[in-house]
Amino acid sequence: MSSFDTKIAVLLRDDLASWQRLNVTAFLVSGIAHVTPELMGEPYLDADGTEYLPMFGQPIMVFAGGADVLTAAHGRALGRGLRFSIFTDELFRTGNDADNRAAVRAVPGEKLALAGLAVHGPKNAVDKILKGASLHR
């Protein structure tokens, strides 16, 4: 049983290629780390004293679902007022942050072609946002 009151979750569209799933997950969780630095653990040290970067101090659950599940999760996250990160299909065709942001800005929220989203919040709220998704395999 988890001792965390909150949950970090990534929801990926179930038709993404393996490399896309990994890429999208990495980008999405960077947004969570940026806005919630208190989720970060301490740096790691090996027995030789070499220091490594800190990581999240709690698990990240990765889920998958169809485009309809992502669209519904997007709406529920907005409705609950939680901040979350998104990755759209257009971002697979851009090569830098400025172009990424311009690609998202060009599309109304209800028409975003979501490849994934990541959210952090109270467990119950995140569970409700992810309704219909299944754990990624």
Side-chain angles (χ1 to χ4, degrees), residues 71-87:
T71 299
H74 179 270
R76 287 192 288 266
L78 287 172
R80 293 189 172 279
L82 291 180
R83 293 177 73 187
F84 58 102
S85 52
I86 62 166
F87 196 103

Side-chain angles (χ1 to χ4, degrees), residues 46-133:
D46 66 22
D48 299 322
T50 303
E51 186 173 310
Y52 303 95
L53 293 173
M55 295 185 280
F56 284 117
Q58 72 179 77
I60 301 168
M61 304 302 294
V62 181
F63 295 84
D68 58 329
V69 172
L70 272 124
T71 299
H74 179 270
R76 287 192 288 266
L78 287 172
R80 293 189 172 279
L82 291 180
R83 293 177 73 187
F84 58 102
S85 52
I86 62 166
F87 196 103
T88 67
D89 285 348
E90 292 79 13
L91 303 187
F92 290 121
R93 295 183 290 278
T94 57
N96 62 69
D97 188 52
D99 289 344
N100 288 350
R101 286 182 282 111
V104 172
R105 185 149 179 84
V107 181
E110 70 275 0
K111 294 187 180 189
L112 291 169
L114 296 168
L117 64 81
V119 63
H120 167 257
K123 279 185 189 179
N124 289 346
V126 172
D127 288 343
K128 289 177 182 175
I129 288 167
L130 298 174
K131 183 179 177 186

